[in-house]
Amino acid sequence: MSTHTPAPLHWKLVVDAGDPHAQADFWAAALRYEAEDNSELVERLLSCGALPEEAAVEYRGGLAFRDLIAVRHPEDPYDPDTGTGLGRRLLFQRVPEARAEGVKNRLHIDVHSGAGHRADEVARLEALGARVLRDVREAGGEWVVMADPEGNEFCVQ
């Protein structure tokens, strides 16, 4: 009988977006992550006809997929042939519908600012395009609920 424990699964958090590239720019700056550079992969797929021209856009001086882009932790590994991250990632995918107003997110990101730095981090995020929704002070702690440029809620601890 084998006692082999399967390896943990690789995962990414996928976020629906009206403008995936703008969302990637915001979250890359907010988390100090890097937008993935998939330009070599996109060019390869275009050259062999596996990707139609309209599925690619110019982004940061190279080609990118029109409907999706990811950001990754800068210290995590990535595949140099595709530019795809192999660690902590957020993938933004284009969807036709806007986020439903008045509906609470079922999943959200908590940004940990470090002791004594919450106000500075909130101000930095506001300068990037986020907005404060409310300050929360409860017996369990204090945090600020914010919204990214497309209205997705997140918390700053």
Side-chain angles (χ1 to χ4, degrees):
M1 175 177 250
S2 173
T3 59
H4 172 65
T5 302
L9 297 174
H10 178 74
W11 63 274
K12 64 185 164 286
L13 178 63
V14 179
V15 180
D16 291 348
D19 184 341
H21 300 89
Q23 284 293 88
D25 287 341
F26 170 81
W27 282 103
L31 298 174
R32 296 183 180 100
Y33 273 33
E34 294 177 355
E36 291 182 350
D37 179 359
N38 304 122
S39 58
E40 287 186 33
L41 173 61
V42 171
E43 289 171 17
R44 211 168 33 246
L45 293 172
L46 285 169
S47 69
C48 72
L51 186 70
E53 293 279 335
E54 62 272 11
V57 294
E58 186 164 326
Y59 176 72
R60 294 187 174 185
L63 290 176
F65 293 104
R66 183 182 87 85
D67 293 328
L68 56 92
I69 187 165
V71 298
R72 65 177 178 79
H73 191 286
E75 295 173 3
D76 287 354
Y78 66 95
D79 181 340
D81 291 332
T82 64
T84 302
L86 303 172
R88 295 162 280 189
R89 302 172 68 218
L90 297 174
L91 175 74
F92 300 94
Q93 70 177 6
R94 185 181 313 279
V95 295
E97 66 278 353
R99 181 183 175 279
E101 288 298 319
V103 177
K104 184 181 184 320
N105 289 12
R106 297 286 303 206
L107 179 71
H108 69 268
I109 296 172
D110 279 355
V111 176
H112 295 265
S113 58
H117 298 286
R118 185 181 315 118
D120 291 339
E121 193 60 29
V122 167
R124 185 182 76 84
L125 293 165
E126 283 182 302
L128 293 173
R131 68 184 189 283
V132 172
L133 299 178
R134 64 189 168 279
D135 288 313
V136 179
R137 288 178 175 76
E138 295 181 352
E142 296 180 8
W143 61 93
V144 177
V145 179
M146 300 188 77
D148 73 12
E150 290 198 4
N152 300 303
E153 293 181 18
F154 66 99
C155 296
V156 180
Q157 303 283 325

